[in-house]
Amino acid sequence: MSDTVVLRAGATPCAPSLVLRPWRVDDVSALVSAYRDPVLRRWTSSAVESEADAVRWVRVQRRGWAAGNRFSFAVLEEQPDAGQGQLVANLVLKEVTPGKPAAEVGYWTAAHARGRSVAPRALDALTTWAFNTFGAGGLKRLDLLHQVDNSASCRVAHKSGYAFDRFLPATPPAFPLDGHLHTRHRDAS
């Protein structure tokens, strides 16, 4: 399945189309560059500091596809003359289990791509794909969690139709601060 799934988000007047596709080993250099950003590292639980770390990270993403429970996408800006271009984000659909009514989405945006609606556009494409692909198997709701002090993720959630559901207490070390739970239901897509 992973080699055939390619999602697209349309261009805006100020930004090119986006291509979402499974991560590849040839994305390693771009992944290491993205992780040099201290803001990104603050919000992610993964440590990618070298090419070896990045190769391991990409392999974990590929194993999620093979297992059918975690679907991670590299998000690239589409270049009309060169096809898929620069890495701008990562999106993931995780905790997918047949018969389970909910799964979780997550994302990060590379520093150079922030403020251009990359995350909301890519998240809309992922959300539609998730409900179309897994809805018949019982998926009815997608959850989006972020720390309470991550206002950028809160804006992405609202722009993407993920309504605020409730506050979540901290659960260190994975979730060190209180957070927000946003949800989007299949019938709202």
Side-chain angles (χ1 to χ4, degrees), residues 28 31-36 41 46-57:
V28 162
L31 183 62
V32 171
S33 293
Y35 265 88
R36 287 188 185 120
R41 286 195 315 266
S46 302
V48 176
E49 297 180 12
S50 67
E51 288 207 0
D53 291 340
V55 168
R56 280 190 292 277
W57 188 90

Side-chain angles (χ1 to χ4, degrees), residues 10-147:
T12 70
C14 302
S17 299
L18 302 174
V19 175
L20 291 75
R21 56 134 173 93
W23 284 89
R24 302 175 184 157
V25 173
D26 59 353
D27 296 320
V28 162
S29 296
L31 183 62
V32 171
S33 293
Y35 265 88
R36 287 188 185 120
D37 173 31
V39 173
L40 187 148
R41 286 195 315 266
R42 177 177 182 217
W43 302 119
T44 61
S45 59
S46 302
V48 176
E49 297 180 12
S50 67
E51 288 207 0
D53 291 340
V55 168
R56 280 190 292 277
W57 188 90
V58 169
R59 287 183 179 150
V60 167
Q61 308 318 306
R62 301 292 293 179
R63 282 195 297 271
W65 277 92
N69 59 11
R70 182 181 175 90
F71 306 93
S72 187
F73 292 86
V75 181
L76 304 114
E77 287 184 328
E78 193 164 37
Q79 304 297 322
D81 53 345
Q84 299 172 14
Q86 186 175 29
L87 176 71
V88 292
N90 169 63
L91 262 80
V92 62
L93 172 67
K94 53 190 173 180
E95 300 177 20
V96 177
T97 304
K100 183 180 170 194
E104 185 181 337
V105 296
Y107 50 87
W108 53 253
T109 304
H112 66 273
R114 290 190 194 120
R116 298 190 346 232
S117 292
V118 166
R121 292 187 298 137
L123 185 56
D124 282 340
L126 177 70
T127 299
T128 298
W129 175 78
F131 285 136
N132 287 343
T133 304
F134 301 105
L139 183 65
K140 296 178 179 8
R141 185 185 83 235
L142 293 174
D143 295 335
L144 185 159
L145 292 74
H146 66 81
Q147 290 183 179

